[in-house]
Coordinates of all heavy atoms in Angstrom, one line a residue:
R66 N 79.4 100.9 72.8 CA 78.2 100.8 72.0 C 77.7 99.3 71.9 O 76.5 99.0 72.1 CB 78.4 101.4 70.6 CG 77.1 101.5 69.8 CD 76.2 102.6 70.3 NE 75.1 102.1 71.1 CZ 74.4 102.9 71.9 NH1 74.8 104.2 72.0 NH2 73.4 102.4 72.6
A67 N 78.7 98.4 71.6 CA 78.4 97.0 71.5 C 77.8 96.4 72.8 O 76.9 95.6 72.9 CB 79.6 96.2 71.0
L68 N 78.5 96.9 73.9 CA 78.0 96.4 75.2 C 76.6 96.9 75.5 O 75.7 96.1 76.0 CB 79.0 96.8 76.3 CG 80.3 96.1 76.4 CD1 81.3 96.8 77.2 CD2 80.1 94.7 76.9
I69 N 76.4 98.2 75.3 CA 75.1 98.7 75.6 C 74.0 98.1 74.7 O 72.9 97.7 75.1 CB 75.1 100.3 75.4 CG1 75.9 100.9 76.5 CG2 73.7 100.8 75.4 CD1 76.2 102.4 76.3
D70 N 74.3 97.9 73.4 CA 73.4 97.3 72.4 C 73.1 95.8 72.8 O 72.0 95.3 72.5 CB 74.0 97.3 71.0 CG 73.9 98.7 70.4 OD1 73.3 99.6 71.0 OD2 74.5 98.9 69.3
S71 N 74.1 95.1 73.5 CA 73.8 93.7 73.8 C 72.9 93.6 75.0 O 72.3 92.5 75.1 CB 75.2 93.1 74.2 OG 75.6 93.5 75.5
G72 N 72.8 94.6 75.8 CA 71.9 94.5 77.0 C 72.6 93.7 78.1 O 71.9 93.4 79.1
V73 N 73.8 93.3 78.0 CA 74.5 92.5 79.0 C 74.6 93.3 80.3 O 74.8 94.5 80.3 CB 75.9 92.1 78.6 CG1 76.8 93.3 78.4 CG2 76.5 91.1 79.6
E74 N 74.4 92.6 81.5 CA 74.5 93.2 82.8 C 75.8 92.8 83.4 O 76.1 91.6 83.4 CB 73.3 92.8 83.7 CG 71.9 93.3 83.1 CD 71.7 94.8 83.4 OE1 72.5 95.4 84.1 OE2 70.7 95.3 82.9
F75 N 76.5 93.7 84.1 CA 77.7 93.3 84.8 C 78.0 94.3 85.9 O 77.4 95.4 85.9 CB 78.9 93.2 83.8 CG 79.2 94.5 83.1 CD1 80.1 95.4 83.6 CD2 78.6 94.8 81.9 CE1 80.4 96.6 82.9 CE2 78.8 95.9 81.2 CZ 79.7 96.8 81.7
D76 N 78.9 94.0 86.8 CA 79.2 94.8 88.0 C 80.6 95.4 87.9 O 80.8 96.5 88.5 CB 79.0 94.0 89.3 CG 77.6 93.5 89.4 OD1 76.6 94.3 89.3 OD2 77.4 92.2 89.5
V77 N 81.5 94.7 87.4 CA 82.9 95.1 87.3 C 83.5 94.8 86.0 O 83.2 93.7 85.4 CB 83.8 94.3 88.4 CG1 85.2 94.8 88.4 CG2 83.2 94.5 89.8
I78 N 84.4 95.6 85.5 CA 85.2 95.4 84.3 C 86.6 94.9 84.7 O 87.3 95.4 85.5 CB 85.3 96.7 83.5 CG1 84.0 97.2 83.0 CG2 86.3 96.5 82.3 CD1 84.0 98.6 82.4
F79 N 87.0 93.8 84.0 CA 88.3 93.2 84.2 C 89.1 93.2 83.0 O 88.7 92.6 81.9 CB 88.2 91.8 84.8 CG 89.5 91.1 85.0 CD1 90.4 91.5 86.0 CD2 89.9 90.1 84.2 CE1 91.6 90.9 86.2 CE2 91.1 89.4 84.4 CZ 92.0 89.8 85.4
G80 N 90.3 93.8 83.0 CA 91.2 93.8 81.8 C 92.4 92.9 82.1 O 93.3 93.2 82.8
P81 N 92.4 91.7 81.4 CA 93.5 90.8 81.6 C 94.8 91.3 81.0 O 94.8 91.8 79.9 CB 93.1 89.5 81.0 CG 92.0 89.9 79.9 CD 91.4 91.1 80.5
A82 N 95.9 91.0 81.7 CA 97.2 91.4 81.1 C 97.5 90.6 79.8 O 97.2 89.4 79.8 CB 98.3 91.2 82.1
Y83 N 98.0 91.3 78.8 CA 98.4 92.7 78.8 C 97.5 93.5 78.0 O 97.1 94.6 78.3 CB 99.9 92.8 78.2 CG 100.9 92.3 79.1 CD1 101.5 91.0 78.9 CD2 101.3 93.0 80.3 CE1 102.4 90.6 79.8 CE2 102.2 92.5 81.1 CZ 102.8 91.3 80.9 OH 103.7 90.8 81.8
K84 N 97.0 93.1 76.8 CA 96.2 93.9 75.9 C 94.9 94.3 76.6 O 94.4 95.4 76.3 CB 95.9 93.2 74.6 CG 97.1 93.2 73.6 CD 96.7 92.6 72.3 CE 97.9 92.5 71.4 NZ 97.6 91.9 70.1
G85 N 94.4 93.5 77.5 CA 93.1 93.8 78.1 C 93.2 95.0 79.1 O 92.2 95.6 79.4
I86 N 94.4 95.3 79.5 CA 94.5 96.4 80.5 C 94.1 97.8 79.9 O 93.2 98.4 80.4 CB 95.9 96.5 81.1 CG1 96.2 95.2 81.9 CG2 96.1 97.7 82.0 CD1 97.6 95.0 82.4
P87 N 94.8 98.2 78.8 CA 94.4 99.5 78.2 C 93.0 99.4 77.6 O 92.2 100.4 77.7 CB 95.4 99.8 77.1 CG 96.0 98.4 76.8 CD 96.0 97.7 78.1
L88 N 92.6 98.2 77.1 CA 91.2 98.1 76.5 C 90.2 98.3 77.6 O 89.2 99.0 77.5 CB 91.1 96.8 75.8 CG 91.9 96.5 74.5 CD1 91.7 95.1 74.1 CD2 91.5 97.5 73.5
G89 N 90.4 97.6 78.7 CA 89.4 97.6 79.8 C 89.3 99.0 80.4 O 88.2 99.5 80.7
A90 N 90.5 99.7 80.6 CA 90.5 101.1 81.1 C 89.8 102.0 80.2 O 88.9 102.9 80.6 CB 91.9 101.5 81.3
A91 N 90.0 101.9 78.9 CA 89.4 102.8 77.9 C 87.9 102.6 77.8 O 87.1 103.6 77.8 CB 90.0 102.6 76.5
V92 N 87.5 101.3 77.9 CA 86.0 101.0 77.9 C 85.4 101.6 79.2 O 84.3 102.1 79.1 CB 85.8 99.5 77.7 CG1 84.3 99.2 77.9 CG2 86.3 99.0 76.4
A93 N 86.0 101.4 80.3 CA 85.4 102.0 81.6 C 85.3 103.5 81.5 O 84.3 104.0 81.9 CB 86.3 101.6 82.7
I94 N 86.2 104.1 80.9 CA 86.2 105.6 80.7 C 85.0 106.0 79.8 O 84.2 106.9 80.1 CB 87.5 106.2 80.2 CG1 88.6 106.0 81.2 CG2 87.4 107.6 79.8 CD1 90.0 106.2 80.7
E95 N 84.9 105.3 78.7 CA 83.8 105.6 77.7 C 82.5 105.3 78.3 O 81.5 106.1 78.1 CB 84.1 104.9 76.4 CG 83.0 105.1 75.3 CD 82.8 106.5 74.9 OE1 83.7 107.3 75.1 OE2 81.8 106.8 74.3
L96 N 82.3 104.2 79.0 CA 81.0 103.9 79.6 C 80.7 105.0 80.6 O 79.5 105.4 80.7 CB 81.1 102.5 80.2 CG 81.0 101.3 79.3 CD1 81.2 100.0 80.1 CD2 79.6 101.3 78.6
A97 N 81.6 105.4 81.4 CA 81.4 106.5 82.4 C 80.9 107.8 81.7 O 80.1 108.5 82.2 CB 82.6 106.7 83.2
R98 N 81.6 108.1 80.5 CA 81.2 109.3 79.8 C 79.7 109.2 79.3 O 79.0 110.2 79.2 CB 82.1 109.4 78.5 CG 81.9 110.7 77.8 CD 82.8 110.8 76.5 NE 82.3 109.9 75.5 CZ 81.3 110.2 74.7 NH1 80.7 111.4 74.8 NH2 80.9 109.4 73.8
L99 N 79.3 107.9 79.1 CA 77.9 107.7 78.7 C 76.9 107.5 79.9 O 75.8 107.2 79.7 CB 77.8 106.5 77.8 CG 78.6 106.6 76.5 CD1 78.6 105.2 75.7 CD2 78.0 107.6 75.6
G100 N 77.5 107.7 81.1 CA 76.6 107.6 82.3 C 76.6 106.2 82.9 O 75.8 106.0 83.9
V101 N 77.4 105.3 82.4 CA 77.4 103.9 83.0 C 78.7 103.7 83.7 O 79.7 103.4 83.1 CB 77.2 102.8 81.8 CG1 77.2 101.4 82.5 CG2 76.0 103.1 81.0
V102 N 78.7 104.0 85.0 CA 80.0 104.0 85.8 C 80.2 102.6 86.4 O 79.3 102.2 87.2 CB 79.9 105.1 86.8 CG1 81.2 105.1 87.7 CG2 79.7 106.5 86.2
K103 N 81.3 102.0 86.0 CA 81.6 100.7 86.5 C 83.0 100.6 87.1 O 83.9 101.2 86.5 CB 81.5 99.6 85.4 CG 80.1 99.5 84.8 CD 79.1 98.9 85.8 CE 77.7 98.7 85.1 NZ 76.7 98.1 86.1
P104 N 83.2 99.9 88.2 CA 84.6 99.7 88.7 C 85.5 98.9 87.7 O 84.9 98.2 86.9 CB 84.4 98.9 90.0 CG 83.0 98.8 90.2 CD 82.3 99.1 89.0
F105 N 86.8 99.2 87.7 CA 87.7 98.5 86.8 C 88.9 97.9 87.6 O 89.4 98.5 88.5 CB 88.2 99.6 85.8 CG 89.4 99.1 85.0 CD1 89.3 98.1 84.1 CD2 90.6 99.7 85.1 CE1 90.4 97.6 83.3 CE2 91.7 99.3 84.4 CZ 91.6 98.3 83.5
A106 N 89.3 96.7 87.1 CA 90.4 96.0 87.7 C 91.2 95.3 86.6 O 90.7 95.1 85.5 CB 90.0 95.0 88.7
Y107 N 92.5 95.0 86.9 CA 93.3 94.3 86.0 C 94.3 93.4 86.8 O 94.4 93.6 88.0 CB 94.0 95.2 85.0 CG 95.0 96.2 85.6 CD1 96.4 95.8 85.7 CD2 94.6 97.4 86.0 CE1 97.3 96.7 86.3 CE2 95.5 98.3 86.6 CZ 96.8 98.0 86.7 OH 97.7 98.9 87.3
N108 N 95.0 92.6 86.1 CA 96.0 91.7 86.8 C 97.4 92.0 86.3 O 97.6 92.5 85.2 CB 95.6 90.3 86.6 CG 95.8 89.8 85.2 OD1 95.2 90.3 84.3 ND2 96.7 88.8 85.0
R109 N 98.4 91.6 87.1 CA 99.8 91.6 86.7 C 100.1 90.1 86.3 O 99.5 89.2 86.8 CB 100.7 92.0 87.9 CG 100.5 93.3 88.5 CD 101.5 93.6 89.5 NE 101.4 94.9 90.2 CZ 100.7 95.1 91.3 NH1 100.1 94.1 91.9 NH2 100.6 96.3 91.8
K110 N 101.1 90.0 85.5 CA 101.6 88.6 85.2 C 102.3 88.0 86.3 O 102.3 86.8 86.5 CB 102.5 88.7 83.9 CG 101.7 88.9 82.6 CD 100.9 87.7 82.2 CE 100.3 87.8 80.8 NZ 99.6 86.6 80.4
E111 N 103.1 88.9 87.1 CA 103.8 88.4 88.2 C 103.3 89.1 89.5 O 103.0 90.3 89.5 CB 105.3 88.7 88.1 CG 106.0 87.8 87.0 CD 106.3 88.6 85.8 OE1 106.3 89.9 85.9 OE2 106.6 88.0 84.7
A112 N 103.2 88.3 90.6 CA 102.7 88.9 91.8 C 103.7 89.9 92.4 O 104.9 89.7 92.3 CB 102.4 87.8 92.8
K113 N 103.2 91.0 92.9 CA 104.0 92.0 93.6 C 104.1 91.6 95.1 O 103.2 91.3 95.7 CB 103.3 93.3 93.4 CG 104.1 94.5 93.9 CD 103.3 95.8 93.6 CE 104.1 97.0 94.0 NZ 103.3 98.3 93.8
D114 N 105.4 91.7 95.6 CA 105.6 91.2 97.0 C 105.8 92.4 97.9 O 106.2 92.3 99.0 CB 106.8 90.3 97.0 CG 108.1 91.0 96.6 OD1 108.1 92.2 96.2 OD2 109.1 90.3 96.5
H115 N 105.5 93.6 97.4 CA 105.5 94.8 98.3 C 104.3 95.7 98.0 O 103.6 95.4 97.1 CB 106.8 95.6 98.1 CG 107.0 96.1 96.7 ND1 107.4 95.3 95.7 CD2 106.8 97.3 96.2 CE1 107.5 96.0 94.6 NE2 107.1 97.2 94.8
G116 N 104.2 96.8 98.8 CA 103.0 97.6 98.6 C 101.7 96.9 98.8 O 101.6 96.2 99.8
E117 N 100.8 97.0 97.9 CA 99.5 96.3 98.1 C 99.6 94.8 97.8 O 98.8 94.0 98.2 CB 98.4 96.9 97.1 CG 98.5 96.5 95.7 CD 99.5 97.5 94.9 OE1 100.3 98.1 95.5 OE2 99.4 97.5 93.7
G118 N 100.7 94.4 97.1 CA 101.0 93.0 96.9 C 100.0 92.3 95.9 O 99.0 92.9 95.5
G119 N 100.2 91.0 95.7 CA 99.3 90.2 94.9 C 99.4 90.5 93.4 O 100.2 91.2 92.9
T120 N 98.4 89.9 92.6 CA 98.4 90.1 91.2 C 97.3 91.0 90.7 O 97.3 91.4 89.5 CB 98.2 88.7 90.5 OG1 97.0 88.1 90.9 CG2 99.4 87.8 90.8
L121 N 96.3 91.3 91.5 CA 95.1 92.1 91.1 C 95.3 93.6 91.5 O 95.8 93.9 92.6 CB 93.9 91.6 91.7 CG 93.4 90.2 91.2 CD1 92.2 89.7 92.0 CD2 93.1 90.2 89.7
V122 N 95.0 94.5 90.6 CA 95.1 95.9 90.8 C 93.7 96.6 90.5 O 93.1 96.2 89.5 CB 96.2 96.5 89.9 CG1 96.4 98.0 90.2 CG2 97.5 95.8 90.1
G123 N 93.4 97.6 91.3 CA 92.2 98.3 91.0 C 91.0 97.9 91.9 O 91.2 97.6 93.1
A124 N 89.8 98.0 91.4 CA 88.6 97.7 92.2 C 88.6 96.3 92.6 O 89.1 95.4 91.9 CB 87.4 98.1 91.4
P125 N 88.0 96.0 93.7 CA 87.8 94.6 94.1 C 86.9 93.9 93.1 O 85.9 94.4 92.6 CB 87.0 94.7 95.5 CG 87.3 96.1 96.0 CD 87.4 96.9 94.8
L126 N 87.2 92.6 92.9 CA 86.4 91.8 92.0 C 85.2 91.2 92.8 O 85.5 90.4 93.7 CB 87.2 90.7 91.3 CG 88.3 91.1 90.3 CD1 89.1 89.9 89.8 CD2 87.6 91.9 89.2
K127 N 84.0 91.6 92.4 CA 82.8 91.1 93.1 C 81.7 91.2 92.2 O 81.6 92.0 91.2 CB 82.6 91.9 94.4 CG 82.4 93.4 94.2 CD 82.2 94.0 95.6 CE 82.1 95.5 95.4 NZ 81.9 96.2 96.8
G128 N 80.7 90.3 92.4 CA 79.5 90.3 91.6 C 79.8 89.7 90.2 O 80.7 88.8 90.0
R129 N 79.1 90.2 89.2 CA 79.3 89.7 87.8 C 80.4 90.5 87.1 O 80.4 91.7 87.0 CB 78.0 89.9 87.0 CG 76.8 89.1 87.7 CD 75.5 89.7 87.2 NE 75.3 91.1 87.6 CZ 74.2 91.8 87.3 NH1 73.2 91.3 86.6 NH2 74.2 93.1 87.7
V130 N 81.4 89.8 86.6 CA 82.6 90.4 86.0 C 82.6 90.3 84.5 O 82.3 89.2 84.0 CB 83.9 89.8 86.6 CG1 85.1 90.4 86.0 CG2 83.9 89.9 88.1
L131 N 82.8 91.4 83.9 CA 83.0 91.5 82.4 C 84.5 91.5 82.1 O 85.2 92.4 82.5 CB 82.3 92.8 81.9 CG 82.6 93.1 80.4 CD1 81.9 92.1 79.5 CD2 82.3 94.5 80.1
I132 N 84.9 90.6 81.3 CA 86.3 90.5 80.8 C 86.4 91.2 79.5 O 85.6 91.0 78.6 CB 86.8 89.0 80.7 CG1 86.6 88.3 82.0 CG2 88.2 89.0 80.1 CD1 86.7 86.8 81.8
V133 N 87.3 92.1 79.3 CA 87.5 92.9 78.1 C 88.8 92.5 77.5 O 89.9 92.7 78.1 CB 87.4 94.4 78.3 CG1 87.7 95.1 77.0 CG2 86.1 94.8 78.9
D134 N 88.8 92.0 76.2 CA 90.1 91.7 75.5 C 89.9 91.9 74.1 O 88.8 92.4 73.6 CB 90.4 90.2 75.8 CG 91.9 90.0 75.9 OD1 92.7 90.8 75.3 OD2 92.3 89.0 76.5
D135 N 90.9 91.6 73.2 CA 90.8 91.9 71.8 C 90.2 90.8 71.0 O 89.2 91.1 70.3 CB 92.2 92.3 71.2 CG 93.3 91.2 71.4 OD1 93.0 90.3 72.3 OD2 94.3 91.3 70.8
V136 N 90.7 89.6 71.2 CA 90.1 88.5 70.5 C 90.2 87.3 71.4 O 90.8 87.3 72.5 CB 90.8 88.1 69.2 CG1 90.7 89.2 68.1 CG2 92.3 87.8 69.4
I137 N 89.5 86.2 71.1 CA 89.6 84.9 71.8 C 90.2 83.9 70.8 O 89.5 83.5 69.8 CB 88.3 84.4 72.3 CG1 87.6 85.4 73.3 CG2 88.5 83.0 73.0 CD1 86.2 85.0 73.7
S138 N 91.5 83.6 70.9 CA 92.2 82.7 70.0 C 92.0 81.2 70.3 O 91.7 80.4 69.5 CB 93.6 83.0 69.9 OG 93.8 84.4 69.4
A139 N 92.2 80.9 71.6 CA 92.1 79.5 72.0 C 91.3 79.3 73.3 O 91.0 78.2 73.7 CB 93.5 78.9 72.2
G140 N 90.9 80.4 74.0 CA 90.2 80.4 75.2 C 91.1 80.3 76.4 O 90.6 80.3 77.6
T141 N 92.4 80.1 76.2 CA 93.4 80.0 77.3 C 93.3 81.2 78.2 O 93.3 81.1 79.5 CB 94.8 79.7 76.8 OG1 94.8 78.6 75.9 CG2 95.7 79.5 77.9
A142 N 93.4 82.4 77.6 CA 93.5 83.6 78.4 C 92.2 83.8 79.2 O 92.2 84.3 80.3 CB 93.7 84.8 77.5
V143 N 91.0 83.4 78.6 CA 89.7 83.5 79.3 C 89.7 82.6 80.5 O 89.3 82.9 81.6 CB 88.6 83.2 78.3 CG1 87.3 83.2 79.1 CG2 88.5 84.2 77.2
R144 N 90.2 81.3 80.3 CA 90.3 80.4 81.4 C 91.1 80.9 82.6 O 90.8 80.8 83.7 CB 90.8 79.0 80.9 CG 89.8 78.3 80.1 CD 90.1 76.8 79.9 NE 91.4 76.6 79.2 CZ 91.4 76.5 77.9 NH1 90.3 76.6 77.1 NH2 92.6 76.3 77.3
E145 N 92.3 81.6 82.2 CA 93.1 82.1 83.2 C 92.4 83.3 84.0 O 92.5 83.4 85.2 CB 94.4 82.7 82.6 CG 95.3 81.6 82.1 CD 96.5 82.1 81.3 OE1 96.5 83.4 81.1 OE2 97.4 81.4 80.9
S146 N 91.6 84.1 83.2 CA 90.9 85.2 83.8 C 89.8 84.6 84.7 O 89.6 85.1 85.8 CB 90.3 86.1 82.8 OG 91.2 86.7 82.0
I147 N 89.1 83.6 84.3 CA 88.1 82.9 85.1 C 88.7 82.5 86.4 O 88.0 82.7 87.5 CB 87.5 81.8 84.3 CG1 86.6 82.3 83.2 CG2 86.6 80.8 85.2 CD1 86.0 81.2 82.3
A148 N 89.8 81.8 86.4 CA 90.5 81.3 87.6 C 90.7 82.5 88.6 O 90.5 82.4 89.8 CB 91.7 80.6 87.3
L149 N 91.3 83.6 88.1 CA 91.5 84.8 88.9 C 90.3 85.3 89.5 O 90.2 85.7 90.7 CB 92.2 85.8 88.1 CG 93.7 85.6 87.8 CD1 94.2 86.6 86.7 CD2 94.6 85.7 89.0
I150 N 89.2 85.4 88.7 CA 88.0 86.0 89.1 C 87.3 85.2 90.2 O 86.8 85.6 91.2 CB 87.0 86.2 87.9 CG1 87.6 87.3 87.0 CG2 85.6 86.6 88.4 CD1 87.0 87.4 85.6
E151 N 87.3 83.8 90.0 CA 86.7 82.9 90.9 C 87.4 82.9 92.2 O 86.9 82.8 93.3 CB 86.5 81.6 90.3 CG 85.5 81.5 89.2 CD 85.3 80.1 88.6 OE1 86.2 79.3 88.7 OE2 84.2 79.9 88.0
A152 N 88.8 83.0 92.1 CA 89.6 83.0 93.3 C 89.4 84.2 94.2 O 89.5 84.1 95.4 CB 91.1 82.9 92.9
A153 N 88.9 85.3 93.5 CA 88.6 86.5 94.3 C 87.2 86.5 94.8 O 86.7 87.4 95.5 CB 88.8 87.7 93.4
G154 N 86.4 85.4 94.5 CA 85.1 85.3 95.0 C 84.0 85.9 94.2 O 82.8 86.1 94.6
A155 N 84.4 86.3 92.9 CA 83.4 86.9 92.0 C 83.0 85.9 90.9 O 83.4 84.7 90.9 CB 84.0 88.1 91.4
T156 N 82.1 86.3 90.1 CA 81.5 85.4 89.1 C 81.9 85.9 87.7 O 81.5 87.0 87.2 CB 79.9 85.5 89.2 OG1 79.6 85.0 90.5 CG2 79.3 84.5 88.1

Side-chain angles (χ1 to χ4, degrees):
R66 186 74 260 162
L68 286 166
I69 291 170
D70 287 352
S71 75
V73 66
E74 298 282 353
F75 60 92
D76 301 303
V77 182
I78 296 170
F79 177 71
Y83 289 102
K84 285 183 181 177
I86 297 174
L88 291 176
V92 171
I94 292 167
E95 177 61 19
L96 285 172
R98 190 184 70 81
L99 297 174
V101 182
V102 179
K103 299 291 183 180
F105 167 64
Y107 63 93
N108 70 299
R109 300 184 181 94
K110 286 290 189 178
E111 290 106 17
K113 188 177 179 182
D114 60 4
H115 60 281
E117 74 276 19
T120 59
L121 294 175
V122 184
L126 290 178
K127 57 184 179 180
R129 300 161 298 181
V130 179
L131 169 73
I132 302 165
V133 177
D134 215 336
D135 56 346
V136 296
I137 301 174
S138 298
T141 305
V143 174
R144 288 194 295 270
E145 290 174 353
S146 295
I147 287 173
L149 285 168
I150 292 164
E151 290 181 338
T156 302

